[in-house]
Amino acid sequence: MFDSHSGASTEKKAVVIGGSIAGLLAAQVLTKHFDHVTIVERDRFPKQPEQRQGVPQSQHLHVLLTRGKQILEQLFPGIEAELAESGAPSMDFITDCAWLGISGWAPRFPSDLRGYTCSRNLLEWTIRRRLVANNRVAFMEAGQVTSLLSNADNTSIAGVRVRLDKEVETDIFADLVVDASGRNSRSPQWLQAIGYQPPQETIINSFLGYASRWYELADEKPIDWNAAYVTTQAPGTRGAVISKIEGNRWILTLIGVARDYPPTDEAEFLHFTQSLRSPILYETIKDAKPLSPIYAYKRTENCLRHYEKLSKLPEGLAVIGDAVCAFNPVYGQGMTTAALGALTLDECLTEQLSQHPDGNLIGLSRRFQKQLHKVITVPWMITTGEDLRWSTTEGAKPSLMNKIMQRYMEQVLVLQTTSPHIHHVFTEVMHMVKPPTALFQPSILMQVVKQVFNRHQPQQEFSNGQGFPSPASVAE
Ligand SMILES: Cc1cc2nc3c(=O)[nH]c(=O)nc-3n(C[C@H](O)[C@H](O)[C@H](O)COP(=O)(O)OP(=O)(O)OC[C@H]3O[C@@H](n4cnc5c(N)ncnc54)[C@H](O)[C@@H]3O)c2cc1C
C-alpha cells in the first residue's frame, strides 16, 4: 500500500496502462496536466511501423474516420502532413471511395470528408514518435501491469504494479492511473481485489469475422478509387472492403456475419471474394501479388463495461478506449471514440484543476466515466442497432425504436444511391462529424416520407453492383 498523502513529491504524475491508440492519445492530453506521464506497455515497440503482438487487429484494415482525424490533428498539429510524408494516400471518403449500399453504388463527388488511409501500424508509430519526442513522457516497454496499488483504506488508486522481463516486479506511483489496456482490460478484477464491485457488462455479438490479406496490385489496373466497399446487408452475411495504404499496398478485408466466417485457406478466400454482391474486389485482386498470409479475426463482439453506473469507484483511476467500450470494428468507430475519450479526459481534468488548483483529483474518476459514457452512447447505439438486424445476433433483441430506426435507415440507404446530398449527410454521420439526428433534417425526412408513400420500397433483392459510378462534380 502506498499513501499518496505521505509526503510524496510535488510533481504530478500519471501512469497509462497500454501504449496503443487510446493510451497514446490519453498520454498526450495528460501532458497538459501532469509533469510526468509514464506509458506502461506489455510489448516492446518496433522501431519501424510494424506489427506487434499486443495489437493483432493491425493486420486488418483500419480506417480513421474524419472526426478521429480532426482530433488527431488537434492533439498533434502537423501529424497529417507526417502521415502524408510517410506515403499514406489521401482520401476523399466520397469521391475516392466506391460504396455499394443497399440498392446500388453511391454517387461519387468531391467532398469535405477527407482523411488518410494507412496501415494501423503506421498510424500508431507516427503518434508514438510524437510522444517519444515529448520530455514529459516516458515509455516502460515489456512491462505488464499486474495490479493496481491503492492507499491504506483503498479509497484511492496510488499506482500500478508492473511485471518486467524475467519476472522482476516494480511499483510505479502516480496521482492518476489511466487504464487503456483494451478489450481484455483487467480493471474489473483489479477493482474487485481491493473491495469494489466490477462494472456490469453489456455484450451484443453478431458473430462477425474478418479475414484480411495485403496485396500489391498489377501496375496496369485502371483504378480511379482508393477504397471500395461492398457493404454487408442483413439478412445477407457477406461483405468486404479494400483500401490502398502506404507503400503502394492494398489491404483486402473480407467480412462475414452470423458465423459466416471468411476462410483463411487461399482458394476458399478467393471463392468468398467471388461470392460478393459485386465482382469489383475479386477483379481487383485476382492477378495481384499477395504480400502477406491471410489473417483471421473473430473477437468482434460489442462490449460495454458500465463504469458510469458504479456507485463507488476509487479516486485516481480512469478507464478509457476499448477497455470501457469495444465495438464491432466493421463500423470503424473504435479509434475515433478513443480520441473523443481523450478529449473528454482533457475537459474533465481542466475543469477539476480549475476548481482544485492544488491538484486534488477527488470526484474526477466518477465524473469522467459518466462523461465518457455520454460520448460512447451514440456510436454504441449505431453499432448495436445495425448488428441487431441479424436475427442470429445475441445479447439483446431489437427494441421498437431499433426497428423504426432500421426501417428509416433502409429508406435513407435507398435514397443515398440517387441523392448526393443524402449520401453526403450519411457519410458525415458515419464519420462522426454529425450526429445521427442530421439524417432526420426536414429535407431528408420529406424525401423518406415521399418515398414511403410512393411505395418505392427498398428492393428485396439487394443490388448486384451494376452501374459502377465514376467520380463527378455533383451539386444538388
Ligand atoms: C479487426 C479489427 C479492426 C478494426 N478496425 C478499426 C477501424 O477500421 N477503425 C477504427 O477506428 N477502429 C478499428 N478497430 C478498433 C481499434 O483497433 C481500437 O478501438 C483501438 O485500437 C483502440 O484500442 P485501445 O487502445 O483501447 O486498445 P488496444 O488497441 O487493444 O491496445 C491495448 C494495449 O494495451 C496493452 N496491454 C494490455 N494489457 C496490458 C497490461 N496488463 N499491461 C501493459 N500493457 C497492456 C496491449 O499490448 C496493447 O498495446 C478495429 C478493431 C479490430 C479488432
Side-chain angles (χ1 to χ4, degrees):
M1 299 289 176
F2 170 80
D3 188 342
S4 55
H5 304 295
S6 64
S9 97
T10 52
E11 294 207 312
K12 294 290 170 199
K13 294 179 187 149
V15 165
V16 179
I17 310 170
S20 178
I21 299 292
L24 297 174
L25 301 183
Q28 175 68 1
V29 306
L30 290 172
T31 58
K32 284 170 66 179
H33 307 283
F34 295 84
D35 302 295
H36 299 287
V37 179
T38 305
I39 300 171
V40 184
E41 168 54 51
R42 210 167 40 183
D43 284 349
R44 284 200 185 281
F45 292 117
K47 298 273 174 287
Q48 297 301 319
E50 284 161 6
Q51 178 63 28
R52 64 184 177 86
Q53 203 181 357
V55 190
Q57 69 264 37
S58 60
Q59 291 157 334
H60 303 270
L61 186 62
H62 261 69
V63 177
L64 180 64
L65 303 180
T66 304
R67 181 73 185 113
K69 182 216 68 173
Q70 290 167 350
I71 299 172
L72 195 64
E73 184 66 23
Q74 178 185 335
L75 294 178
F76 302 95
I79 200 161
E80 281 188 65
E82 287 172 29
L83 287 170
E85 271 163 34
S86 300
S90 81
M91 171 91 163
D92 175 326
F93 285 101
I94 290 189
T95 201
D96 298 327
C97 180
W99 177 280
L100 181 59
I102 197 166
S103 66
W105 292 100
R108 295 170 57 203
F109 50 92
S111 82
D112 50 352
L113 293 161
R114 302 195 63 87
Y116 290 88
T117 51
C118 64
S119 68
R120 163 62 200 253
N121 296 335
L122 176 64
L123 184 63
E124 190 183 302
W125 179 83
T126 308
I127 302 171
R128 194 166 65 238
R129 195 169 59 169
R130 280 294 189 95
L131 287 164
V132 167
N134 186 330
N135 58 17
R136 288 193 170 203
V137 177
F139 285 89
M140 179 180 271
E141 296 177 54
Q144 175 161 2
V145 173
T146 55
S147 61
L148 298 172
L149 306 173
S150 54
N151 64 353
D153 57 5
N154 290 335
T155 52
S156 188
I157 298 303
V160 293
R161 178 151 298 159
V162 184
R163 186 183 302 141
L164 298 166
D165 281 347
K166 300 180 190 131
E167 301 295 312
V168 178
E169 285 198 326
T170 184
D171 291 346
I172 309 179
F173 296 102
D175 303 277
L176 181 67
V177 171
V178 176
D179 177 8
S181 62
R183 206 181 252 281
N184 297 321
S185 155
R186 304 275 302 159
S187 276
Q189 291 83 351
W190 293 335
L191 284 173
Q192 257 184 312
I194 54 169
Y196 289 84
Q197 289 291 320
Q200 290 168 3
E201 283 185 359
T202 304
I203 296 177
I204 296 181
N205 195 348
S206 65
F207 298 96
L208 176 144
Y210 275 11
S212 298
R213 194 168 210 188
W214 299 35
Y215 290 96
E216 182 184 309
L217 300 194
D219 277 347
E220 71 276 10
K221 282 273 173 215
I223 286 179
D224 67 354
W225 40 265
N226 278 347
Y229 191 4
V230 176
T231 59
T232 315
Q233 302 291 343
T237 55
R238 295 186 171 189
V241 55
I242 192 167
S243 179
K244 192 172 184 182
I245 60 161
E246 74 277 5
N248 230 3
R249 295 169 296 171
W250 294 72
I251 303 181
L252 170 64
T253 290
L254 303 183
I255 302 158
V257 192
R259 296 192 175 86
D260 183 13
Y261 296 122
T264 50
D265 167 82
E266 175 135 14
E268 289 297 311
F269 183 86
L270 288 175
H271 193 246
F272 189 111
T273 313
Q274 259 179 317
S275 75
L276 298 167
R277 284 191 290 144
S278 159
I280 183 175
L281 301 186
Y282 178 71
E283 292 298 326
T284 306
I285 55 105
K286 68 177 189 207
D287 311 316
K289 179 176 159 198
L291 300 174
S292 76
I294 300 167
Y295 306 109
Y297 198 93
K298 293 184 187 168
R299 279 288 312 279
T300 61
E301 70 276 12
N302 301 288
C303 175
L304 175 56
R305 299 195 175 106
H306 293 278
Y307 285 97
E308 84 289 354
K309 284 192 182 159
L310 289 176
S311 57
K312 276 177 68 192
L313 201 57
E315 303 298 345
L317 177 68
V319 190
I320 204 165
D322 282 17
V324 175
C325 186
F327 298 98
N328 174 348
V330 80
Y331 310 101
Q333 296 165 321
M335 297 189 294
T336 298
T337 307
L340 287 165
L343 289 191
T344 307
L345 183 61
D346 188 20
E347 284 157 18
C348 289
L349 277 165
T350 303
E351 192 187 332
Q352 179 82 19
L353 297 173
S354 70
Q355 287 166 8
H356 301 280
D358 60 350
N360 184 332
L361 297 183
I362 285 177
L364 175 84
S365 301
R366 288 192 62 211
R367 201 162 44 251
F368 169 68
Q369 299 304 154
K370 283 184 192 299
Q371 285 301 114
L372 181 64
H373 185 72
K374 289 184 191 159
V375 169
I376 289 168
T377 303
V378 169
W380 176 262
M381 191 187 73
I382 292 176
T383 305
T384 56
E386 284 301 304
D387 278 2
L388 288 171
R389 284 179 186 275
W390 282 270
S391 58
T392 42
T393 296
E394 291 180 8
K397 291 279 165 230
S399 62
L400 181 61
M401 184 49 81
N402 286 136
K403 287 181 186 165
I404 293 169
M405 287 293 292
Q406 287 171 355
R407 294 297 89 77
Y408 186 86
M409 281 309 296
E410 281 162 17
Q411 301 297 334
V412 169
L413 292 176
V414 171
L415 290 165
Q416 171 196 41
T417 319
T418 49
S419 164
H421 171 61
I422 292 182
H423 182 50
H424 185 247
V425 177
F426 169 80
T427 312
E428 285 178 311
V429 172
M430 228 182 52
H431 279 258
M432 295 171 75
V433 292
K434 285 224 172 120
T437 47
L439 288 165
F440 291 86
Q441 60 186 259
S443 64
I444 298 180
L445 189 65
M446 288 300 287
Q447 290 188 64
V448 167
V449 171
K450 211 163 116 193
Q451 180 168 255
V452 170
F453 281 101
N454 284 344
R455 297 184 184 280
H456 287 164
Q457 298 298 323
Q459 298 165 1
Q460 293 305 305
E461 294 284 314
F462 294 116
S463 167
N464 62 5
Q466 298 296 313
F468 185 75
S470 325
S473 298
V474 178
E476 212 184 24

